[in-house]
């Protein structure tokens, strides 16, 4: 029972934390997404399927209740897939699931780069460089004032924000991973 209830509780809690993290960032106009704070943690603790569920339902809530674009679910799914692949690679090499913080940071860095590129493509092509997230659009506008090129501003802003956002997510996920292992064991 513990092997089903603990992952379910963690996944549901992570979805809600991802949702409310994003709402908080929008409310205080904090220039980060905070919509995938615990997706890496869910993937580390529970595996690929709960990580993907966390990603999808976090984005569904944001799409329904805060007018975020459903297209960004691709970025969130990518974060879960990258995390799963790196954890799986590590387990094959080390036969250990006691992941160190550097693995989480690598996942954060790789996710930031890929999500930055993927998110920028979505924002540039589908959303005409307007993400509907004021905290994100403000950074792009600030860069645009300096570089006078909307595409460049969109890409620079997206990469910078993703780097900070995903590294923060990786650090928080590492803390949750350590806590979860103590609770579940």
């Amino acid at each position: 029972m513990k092997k089903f209830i603990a992952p379910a509780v963690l996944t549901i809690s992570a979805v809600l934390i991802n949702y409310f993290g994003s709402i908080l960032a929008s409310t205080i106009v904090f220039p980060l997404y905070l919509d995938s704070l615990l997706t890496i943690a869910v993937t580390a603790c529970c595996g690929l399927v709960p990580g993907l569920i966390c990603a999808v339902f976090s984005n569904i809530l944001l799409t329904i209740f805060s007018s975020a674009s459903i297209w960004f679910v691709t970025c969130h799914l990518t974060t879960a897939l990258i995390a799963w692949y790196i954890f799986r690679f590590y387990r094959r090499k080390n036969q250990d699931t006691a992941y160190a913080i550097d693995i989480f940071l690598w996942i954060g860095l790789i996710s930031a780069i890929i999500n930055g590129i993927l998110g920028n493509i979505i924002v540039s092509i589908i959303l005409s460089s307007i993400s509907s997230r004021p905290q994100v659009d403000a950074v792009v506008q600030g860069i645009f004032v300096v570089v006078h090129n909307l595409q460049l501003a969109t890409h620079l802003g997206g990469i910078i924000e993703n780097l900070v956002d995903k590294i923060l997510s990786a650090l928080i996920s590492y803390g949750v991973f350590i806590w979860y292992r103590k609770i579940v064991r």
Side-chain angles (χ1 to χ4, degrees), residues 38 57 69 87 96 107-108 110 114 136 142 148 154 160-161 166:
L38 296 182
F57 282 97
S69 174
F87 289 134
D96 187 12
I107 291 167
I110 294 166
I114 292 173
V136 174
H148 302 290
T154 300
I160 291 167
E161 288 168 318
K166 294 301 180 261

Side-chain angles (χ1 to χ4, degrees), residues 133-150:
R133 301 181 97 170
Q135 76 274 21
V136 174
D137 293 338
V139 172
V140 172
Q141 290 171 0
I143 295 170
F144 177 73
V145 167
V146 175
V147 300
H148 302 290
N149 182 319
L150 187 56

Side-chain angles (χ1 to χ4, degrees), residues 2 6 178-185:
K2 191 178 194 179
I178 297 297
W179 171 80
Y180 184 84
R181 282 180 55 99
K182 287 180 184 176
I183 298 283
V184 172
R185 285 189 173 199

Side-chain angles (χ1 to χ4, degrees), residues 12-89:
I12 292 167
S13 299
V15 167
L16 294 173
I17 289 168
N18 288 349
Y19 171 74
F20 285 113
S22 182
I23 297 301
L24 177 67
S26 292
T27 303
I28 63 173
V29 192
F30 189 61
L32 295 176
Y33 307 105
L34 302 182
D35 62 351
S36 61
L37 282 172
L38 296 182
T39 303
I40 298 169
V42 170
T43 307
C45 297
C46 307
L48 177 61
V49 173
L52 295 173
I53 290 169
C54 178
V56 168
F57 282 97
S58 297
N59 277 79
I60 286 173
L61 286 178
L62 288 167
T63 300
I64 293 171
F65 296 111
S66 75
S67 71
S69 174
I70 193 66
W71 289 100
F72 291 115
V73 75
T74 56
C75 295
H76 210 152
L77 289 169
T78 302
T79 298
L81 287 168
I82 290 166
W84 173 77
Y85 182 76
I86 291 174
F87 289 134
R88 185 173 148 233
F89 178 78

